[in-house]
Amino acid sequence: MLESLLHINITKSEAKNNISLDKLHADNKDMRLDLLAEVDGKYLIDLEIQNKNEYNIIDRDDNYTSYIRHDSLKIGDKHQEASKVIIIWILGYNLFPNGSYHDESITVRAYNKEVLSENFKTHFFQMPRFIKSVRENKTLEEQWLAYLSNQLNSDELEELFAMNRSIEEVNRIAEIAMTDKDVKEAILAKTLNQDRENLIYQKGEKDT
């Protein structure tokens, strides 16, 4: 999936979901990244799914990116030894008023658009724009996004599985996982914590 969305070759990946974001929250609630993977020993890729627009994605992206890169350093490491960080947002709404369903953010110089750093990179996948603009799921990227959109009927899913067996395997694992009591409780806890974070953010906006 990561190869398909980012258009890169990956030889080795390792899930690292033990990264907690408690330090980013004043109430120290249990907040963790949706999916964090170390890729080829040099990239840390975080995939986040956000269905509702809470108008704080850019702030969250800045915080997540900085925290993940800082956390990759060990005591005594030099700044340049920190891992490069890629954030992928799968959004259930259109974040930007125009452009493609897949947008990208990097650090550039305002004067001539020269790329200053590739240590931080963010990919935004805007699902409503994808659903509206893509009619046939020909590429691997399109196939994964079609699956993640949760808009396919049973026949369309079977057709997608026939095209991409990796998606079929992920779907099978997801169905098994969703019958697990601990998984359901973890999803509920994350949802409740996210709702709490959004309320705190909204209250702060009203108070300013």
Side-chain angles (χ1 to χ4, degrees):
M1 179 177 66
L2 294 179
E3 284 187 325
S4 301
L5 295 180
L6 299 176
H7 302 280
I8 61 175
N9 293 321
I10 296 175
T11 58
K12 180 182 178 182
S13 64
E14 177 186 357
K16 299 179 71 68
N17 270 28
N18 58 338
I19 300 289
S20 174
L21 302 178
D22 293 350
K23 295 178 182 178
L24 298 182
H25 301 270
D27 55 5
N28 285 326
K29 298 298 181 183
D30 183 27
M31 294 290 292
R32 295 182 180 275
L33 301 170
D34 284 355
L35 171 64
L36 182 67
E38 183 178 49
V39 173
D40 292 338
K42 60 181 179 178
Y43 293 104
L44 285 171
I45 300 177
D46 173 36
L47 186 146
E48 297 286 322
I49 296 178
Q50 180 73 28
N51 288 319
K52 296 187 297 183
N53 188 357
E54 302 294 347
Y55 304 97
N56 61 2
I57 282 295
I58 302 302
D59 289 334
R60 285 175 60 191
D61 183 71
D62 288 343
N63 290 337
Y64 286 15
T65 303
S66 301
Y67 185 86
I68 293 169
R69 181 165 166 82
H70 179 268
D71 192 72
S72 73
L73 286 170
K74 301 179 180 65
I75 295 176
D77 283 352
K78 298 178 181 179
H79 291 294
Q80 59 266 34
E81 293 179 297
S83 298
K84 297 180 184 294
V85 177
I86 300 174
I87 308 288
I88 302 172
W89 291 98
I90 307 295
L91 301 174
Y93 55 92
N94 292 328
L95 178 63
F96 305 113
N98 46 40
S100 173
Y101 69 82
H102 179 189
D103 216 327
E104 186 177 335
S105 171
I106 56 176
T107 304
V108 299
R109 184 182 174 198
Y111 173 71
N112 59 1
K113 307 305 180 185
E114 174 189 359
V115 177
L116 293 180
S117 170
E118 293 192 1
N119 292 327
F120 299 146
K121 186 176 291 187
T122 300
H123 293 263
F124 302 95
F125 291 93
Q126 301 161 98
M127 300 308 293
R129 191 165 290 150
F130 166 77
I131 294 169
K132 183 177 181 179
S133 61
V134 177
R135 300 300 181 185
E136 296 184 62
N137 303 312
K138 295 182 178 179
T139 68
L140 293 177
E141 175 186 296
E142 292 168 351
Q143 291 167 15
W144 277 105
L145 290 176
Y147 175 69
L148 293 172
S149 72
N150 200 30
Q151 296 292 310
L152 303 181
N153 59 41
S154 58
D155 290 339
E156 290 170 329
L157 273 176
E158 289 300 323
E159 183 179 347
L160 184 63
F161 294 159
M163 290 190 293
N164 193 322
R165 294 300 182 185
S166 294
I167 295 178
E168 182 181 31
E169 178 65 11
V170 166
N171 187 73
R172 185 186 67 81
I173 295 172
E175 288 180 343
I176 294 173
M178 287 304 296
T179 64
D180 188 285
K181 182 175 179 291
D182 290 338
V183 172
K184 289 183 177 180
E185 289 179 353
I187 293 173
L188 177 60
K190 181 175 179 63
T191 301
L192 292 175
N193 284 329
Q194 186 62 65
D195 289 343
R196 186 183 296 108
E197 178 191 11
N198 293 334
L199 287 173
I200 293 172
Y201 181 88
Q202 292 166 7
K203 184 178 186 302
E205 287 286 292
K206 292 178 181 178
D207 292 342
T208 56

